[in-house]
Amino acid sequence: MRLLSVGSVAFDAIETPFGKTDKIVGGAGTFISLSASFFVKDQGIVSVVGDDFPAETLSYMQLKGIDTKGIQIKHGEKTFFWSGKYHNDMNSRDTLITELNVLEDFDPIIPESYTNVEYLMLGNLSPHVQRNVIERLPVRPKLIAMDTMNFWMDIAMDELKKTMCLVDVLIINDEEARQLSGEYSLVRAAKIIREMGPRILIIKKGEHGALLFHGENIFFAPALPLEEVFDPTGAGDTFAGGFMGYIASTDDTSYENMKRAIIAGSALASFCVEKFGTERLTEIHTSDLNLRIHQFIQLTNFEMNLL
Ligand code: AMP
């Protein structure tokens, strides 16, 4: 198996200045695997849902080449539910409700057919569960990436540090990088965070793009300037899924390829925010993605003679 993702498969209820949804399908694992499916045809997901989760969504994921054997279905229990409300600037949000439900005592069980996985993407979950997955794989994948959030820094910093030691790539946003390092400068923050374990660090800056710290190099990718941002939920997960999906499909972990993977992730994230939840990701095709990648190339390409 090329890629294994671990993360929540959930119901979300979202409120933005543009509208409001009832319970729709969301979850970090859902966004990651759908995004990666644009590149990888051989991927699996480890997660858990209740028996209230729609069978059609699981069928749709299978149609996209995602093996859903690793999603445990807990009978008589409810799926994880998260609700959030965005402020007018669409950059910040308040969490209104978090009902852990089946995630409360999630024990990630890895199906036999997943154990030879080459690339691992650990979506935002308890660092203890993330570490369990790494330790349950008999052979270490070629590259392990993880996402996390301030919530885990607040309540489980020691666990988080233990898990961070085991991964190659950490993907977090600027606010989280500052909290984790205690440094405002992102360059200084990156140095401190990389001393904690991950040799590669990606700092997402929302509508201001993303930074890649790799060896002595720093690469910056902008976000595509969009006329309308409708719902940013899942953009970070979509970015991570696109990044790891691209790396896994090209089987190349070099710095040059990671730059391309960042653009792939950014292009997919730019679609994600155009509609509520996963809707836009289910509408687009490879041709749409190619057009957008081309726009990214145009956006950053220039020639200049040195003085
Ligand atoms: P993002 O916008 O990239 O931060 O991701 C939003 C997704 O993360 C939503 O679809 C939620 O279902 C999911 N989510 C929110 N809080 C948590 C949590 N504590 N654990 C796992 N997944 C979460």
Side-chain angles (χ1 to χ4, degrees), residues 23-232:
K23 279 190 177 183
I24 57 171
V25 167
T30 316
F31 285 106
I32 290 170
S33 56
L34 282 179
S35 178
S37 73
F38 285 88
F39 304 108
V40 185
K41 297 297 159 228
D42 179 19
Q43 65 163 320
I45 174 166
V46 164
S47 190
V48 62
V49 293
D51 57 10
D52 53 351
F53 195 76
E56 309 85 71
T57 303
L58 299 179
S59 306
Y60 178 76
M61 290 168 89
Q62 287 155 14
L63 203 71
K64 296 298 253 178
I66 303 162
D67 185 325
T68 60
K69 247 197 320 295
I71 302 183
Q72 302 167 44
I73 301 173
K74 297 275 181 189
H75 294 284
E77 292 187 47
K78 283 167 76 183
T79 299
F80 171 73
F81 173 61
W82 175 82
S83 170
K85 181 176 175 175
Y86 288 86
H87 301 165
N88 279 341
D89 66 1
M90 293 294 258
N91 267 336
S92 49
R93 70 184 180 203
D94 293 327
T95 290
L96 303 178
I97 305 170
T98 300
E99 287 174 11
L100 286 176
N101 299 328
V102 286
L103 271 192
E104 182 125 37
D105 48 9
F106 177 40
D107 183 26
I109 297 168
I110 301 167
E112 185 62 35
S113 57
Y114 291 13
T115 50
N116 63 349
V117 66
E118 293 180 81
Y119 291 87
L120 175 62
M121 176 66 226
L122 300 166
N124 170 35
L125 274 179
S126 118
H128 179 70
V129 170
Q130 291 176 316
R131 196 165 71 252
N132 267 342
V133 173
I134 299 173
E135 285 169 354
R136 287 175 186 183
L137 289 172
V139 183
R140 190 189 192 275
K142 290 181 193 170
L143 194 81
I144 304 177
M146 82 179 260
D147 184 8
T148 189
M149 69 188 292
N150 44 9
F151 178 72
W152 303 115
M153 295 172 200
D154 293 338
I155 67 160
M157 193 56 143
D158 287 347
E159 279 291 320
L160 181 61
K161 284 186 176 164
K162 276 194 225 160
T163 306
M164 274 172 55
C165 281
L166 304 176
V167 309
D168 303 291
V169 187
L170 180 69
I171 306 176
I172 49 177
N173 69 31
D174 42 2
E175 197 186 316
E176 292 156 354
R178 288 182 173 123
Q179 179 168 349
L180 190 54
S181 63
E183 271 290 344
Y184 186 81
S185 150
L186 292 180
V187 175
R188 281 209 200 115
K191 193 163 178 281
I192 293 170
I193 294 168
R194 290 169 76 198
E195 279 164 4
M196 295 175 175
R199 64 194 166 85
I200 298 160
L201 174 68
I202 296 174
I203 302 181
K204 299 168 289 177
K205 289 153 61 73
E207 62 174 328
H208 304 298
L211 286 164
L212 164 67
F213 296 86
H214 185 296
E216 293 298 305
N217 303 301
I218 305 178
F219 174 70
F220 171 70
L224 202 66
L226 294 170
E227 259 183 53
E228 207 170 66
V229 174
F230 197 76
D231 169 24

Side-chain angles (χ1 to χ4, degrees), residues 2 39 119 244-253 257 260-261:
R2 259 306 151 101
F39 304 108
Y119 291 87
M244 274 304 264
Y246 188 85
I247 300 269
S249 71
T250 50
D251 199 17
D252 177 354
T253 61
N257 202 48
R260 290 186 279 271

